Amino acid sequence: MKKLFLLLLTAFLFIGCSSDDDTIYDYIGTWSGKYTGSDDGTWNLVVASDGKVTGTMHSTVNDENYNISGNLTDTGDLTAVIGLPDDGEFKGTLSREKKGNGNWSNAVPTPARYGTWTGDKK
């Protein structure tokens, strides 16, 4: 009986402690980095426990700030809009290794601007 109990306990531990479980909690916190392309600057995001994302982009070219708002999935897929109302997109991936990257576009100011972004969790 004791061996059976130990066998079941061991099996439960292997099943219950999988490191591949996707959870939003790995991403909660502050992320920041740089963006480049037809505009460049810095960005900052905060990921909340419900997956909501809020933040800003600061253009060093125009010396302006743009709001970022959107959502993050349990697997780290980021989908956000730039500006209020929606003037552009800020999309990409955040990883469990605390790195992020993706693409951005912004129709304000004209002409439309676009490029890539990279960053990490602080």
Side-chain angles (χ1 to χ4, degrees):
M1 183 69 164
K2 191 175 185 180
K3 289 181 183 181
L4 180 60
F5 174 75
L6 289 175
L7 180 63
L8 289 174
L9 179 62
T10 303
F12 176 74
L13 288 175
F14 279 114
I15 293 169
C17 296
S18 172
S19 63
D20 294 332
D21 291 343
D22 292 330
T23 175
I24 197 74
Y25 297 106
D26 294 328
Y27 308 104
I28 294 173
T30 303
W31 296 73
S32 63
K34 297 186 181 287
Y35 68 94
T36 58
S38 50
D39 189 3
D40 60 59
T42 59
W43 59 269
N44 294 290
L45 295 176
V46 175
V47 178
S49 61
D50 61 357
K52 298 272 188 224
V53 174
T54 56
T56 58
M57 289 174 65
H58 176 76
S59 169
T60 56
V61 174
N62 299 313
D63 194 28
E64 292 183 353
N65 292 321
Y66 308 103
N67 292 323
I68 300 172
S69 61
N71 292 292
L72 185 75
T73 67
D74 291 347
T75 58
D77 295 323
L78 173 65
T79 304
V81 296
I82 298 173
L84 297 172
D86 174 4
D87 295 320
E89 296 181 328
F90 195 87
K91 293 185 175 185
T93 305
L94 303 180
S95 74
R96 286 191 173 76
E97 290 77 33
K98 301 181 180 182
K99 299 288 181 192
N101 63 67
N103 298 304
W104 66 272
S105 65
N106 193 4
V108 175
T110 55
R113 299 160 193 261
Y114 55 90
T116 60
W117 59 267
T118 60
D120 52 14
K121 186 175 181 184
K122 302 301 176 196

